[in-house]
Structures are given as structure tokens and as C-alpha cells.
Amino acid sequence: MGGLLSWLFGSNRSVAKTSQFEDKPVSKQRHPHIVWRDGSFPMDAVGERNYQDTLAGLCRGHSRYGHSARFEAEIAREPQNPHDENAVVVSIKGQKVAYLPREQAARVSAGMQHAGLSVARCAAEIVGGWRTNQHDEGSFGVRLAIPTRGAIDFGNGMVQPQDEGDISHRSEKRRSSSRPAAADGGPFAGHRIAIMGAPTDGPEAHQLAQAGATVTAGVGKTTTILVVIGEEPFDFGIRRSRSYQKAEELIACGSPIRIMPWSAVRRMIQSPE
């Protein structure tokens, strides 16, 4: 009888173990997992508005008070992406759900290359997705357990520059880059503009400076416009960013700062009348 019970219960334990890992194929287990503080998701993904149906499916639909559901995500470099060679795509359970913000993608992609990785895993949280009785609903967003600054531990050691020469090269590169000087006149003369999603010495910054704007390092009390490299309505990741929330706080306090998409700003530059 003992042998029969052991045989029966042993079979049940085997079934439970299989179901426990059915959503984690063996092939994914080989990818290193980013080490970060449990329950902390400092990086907001972007582009979730293109994958709302997928995110809703992962969370089993909208709910009255929204979701805060945790998953394991996979991030993968997309060097052939036509819009950004440093693009890093985010997938959950094999389904694409978002991308890393452009400025973070360059940093994370470089770290992955340095570590010899094309794919890595990390903890993720899907948030949002609320729906009221009046069928008013909020979109889903994705947050990731990836630090937004400093070294990244991909599970095989902290990613650091290869040698002191590499550190010197990075420092020299930072020193050599500078924000463009504002032109004497133009449609944005007198404005102090912060750019979200593009560098302060990139082509967008130069166009703004040529239009008379002073390009700032970030959002502050004297900032008059926050330019977002993205289209309205801005997705959850953009709205959760530090720069965007700082601008909203200033607006709530009566500051004249405006939040504008790059497309609207570009139209003003091209047609100042």
C-alpha cells in the first residue's frame, strides 16, 4: 500500500513541477538575469500604446482599480531596427510589449555588448489598465527592474569600462560635447527648452538653437518648454518619466512651462509665421 501511495503521490508531484515552469521555456533560462533590488522598477518602458491588446491579455483584461502585475521580461538588442540601431525591445512570455527609452536603450545596449549579450532577462511590472463603470479606461504601462544610471549587473558581474583608457575616452567625449548656442532670433527666441528623448547636442537641439532657443540640461524652474521626442497622446512610459512629471508639477504650481511633441515644434521651426 505504501509503495502504491508513493507511486501515486510521486506522479502528482511531477505534474505540479511541470505546470510551475510551463511559461518559462528551458531556452530562456540560459539568458542571464539582471540583478536589482526586489520590488523596485526604476525604468519606464515606452511604446506600450502599440501593444495594449497584448498587455491586456497578459493581465486578463482591464480592472476597476488597475493592475500591478509582476512578470519576468526579456530584453533583446535590435541592431537592425530602422529607427534606432541601439533599440532594445521588451517581451513578456514571448510577446513584444514595449521598448526601452532611446537614451536608456543606448546605455543598456552598450552594456549588453560589453557583456557579450544579445538577450537578457529582468523583473517587470505591468501597471495601469483601470476601467470605470462608465467605460472610461486607462492604458497599460511597463516598468522594468533595470537601474537608470550606473553599472548594470547582468548576473555575471558588474558592467564596467574595460580599462582606464576607456574611462578617459568617455570623459573626453563628455567634455567635447556641448549644447549649441542660441541664435539671436527665431520663433523660439527667449525660450529655455529641455529635450526629452534626444541628447542636448544632437540634431534636434541644434535646430532649436538655430530657432533662437536656449537648450537646457533638464527641466527646471526657468524652463519654458519641454519638448518630447514622441507623439501625442504620450504613452505611459513617457508620462512616468522624471522630466515629464517635473514639468507637470511646475504647471500645477502655475509655471508657464508647456509640454510639446517634437512634431509640433518642428512645424513651428519650418513655418514660423
Side-chain angles (χ1 to χ4, degrees):
M1 177 64 71
L4 177 60
L5 291 174
S6 176
W7 179 81
L8 288 172
F9 286 109
S11 174
N12 287 340
R13 284 195 296 270
S14 177
V15 170
K17 184 176 182 180
T18 300
S19 63
Q20 181 183 359
F21 292 96
E22 61 185 0
D23 290 327
K24 298 181 181 180
V26 174
S27 61
K28 290 189 177 181
Q29 297 300 309
R30 289 196 293 266
H31 298 314
H33 195 285
I34 293 174
V35 179
W36 186 243
R37 294 191 293 271
D38 185 41
S40 173
F41 303 92
M43 187 176 294
D44 293 314
V46 298
E48 303 100 316
R49 64 182 177 187
N50 298 316
Y51 309 103
Q52 288 296 300
D53 289 344
T54 300
L55 291 166
L58 289 167
C59 291
R60 299 182 180 179
H62 290 72
S63 70
R64 178 161 180 79
Y65 299 107
H67 296 275
S68 180
R70 297 186 181 182
F71 295 86
E72 181 177 80
E74 182 179 276
I75 61 171
R77 294 171 48 229
E78 272 191 353
Q80 304 304 319
N81 187 296
H83 305 292
D84 182 8
E85 63 180 7
N86 294 317
V88 178
V89 64
V90 182
S91 301
I92 295 178
K93 292 190 176 182
Q95 302 178 84
K96 185 184 295 187
V97 295
Y99 279 85
L100 298 193
R102 182 181 291 267
E103 65 275 14
Q104 289 292 342
R107 169 177 165 270
V108 175
S109 179
M112 293 175 70
Q113 284 184 286
H114 183 78
L117 303 172
S118 59
V119 179
R121 296 176 295 132
C122 67
E125 184 179 43
I126 299 178
V127 295
W130 50 265
R131 176 177 288 160
T132 67
N133 292 332
Q134 291 75 33
H135 304 291
D136 184 20
E137 62 184 40
S139 59
F140 291 90
V142 178
R143 304 193 304 172
L144 303 168
I146 304 176
T148 56
R149 63 185 65 186
I152 301 175
D153 186 347
F154 288 101
N156 54 358
M158 299 296 283
V159 176
Q160 300 288 354
Q162 292 183 358
D163 51 39
E164 291 299 322
D166 187 22
I167 295 174
S168 300
H169 173 71
R170 290 186 181 188
S171 299
E172 183 62 34
K173 184 176 180 181
R174 283 196 294 269
R175 286 195 297 269
S176 63
S177 63
S178 59
R179 294 189 294 277
D184 292 335
F188 288 102
H191 282 282
R192 295 179 59 82
I193 298 180
I195 307 174
M196 178 180 166
T200 56
D201 60 350
E204 296 87 355
H206 280 274
Q207 290 184 52
L208 286 167
Q210 290 169 7
T214 298
V215 178
T216 65
V219 177
K221 292 182 178 180
T222 61
T223 305
T224 57
I225 300 175
L226 170 63
V227 174
V228 179
I229 308 301
E231 294 300 327
E232 294 181 302
F234 299 126
D235 59 37
F236 185 84
I238 290 176
R239 298 197 309 273
R240 285 297 300 270
S241 70
R242 185 175 301 174
S243 296
Y244 193 94
Q245 291 189 338
K246 177 64 174 179
E248 286 196 318
E249 290 173 4
L250 290 170
I251 291 172
C253 293
S255 173
I257 184 173
R258 290 183 292 165
I259 302 174
M260 300 177 63
W262 171 245
S263 58
V265 171
R266 185 170 52 191
R267 285 194 297 271
M268 293 178 65
I269 292 173
Q270 294 173 347
S271 304
E273 297 298 329

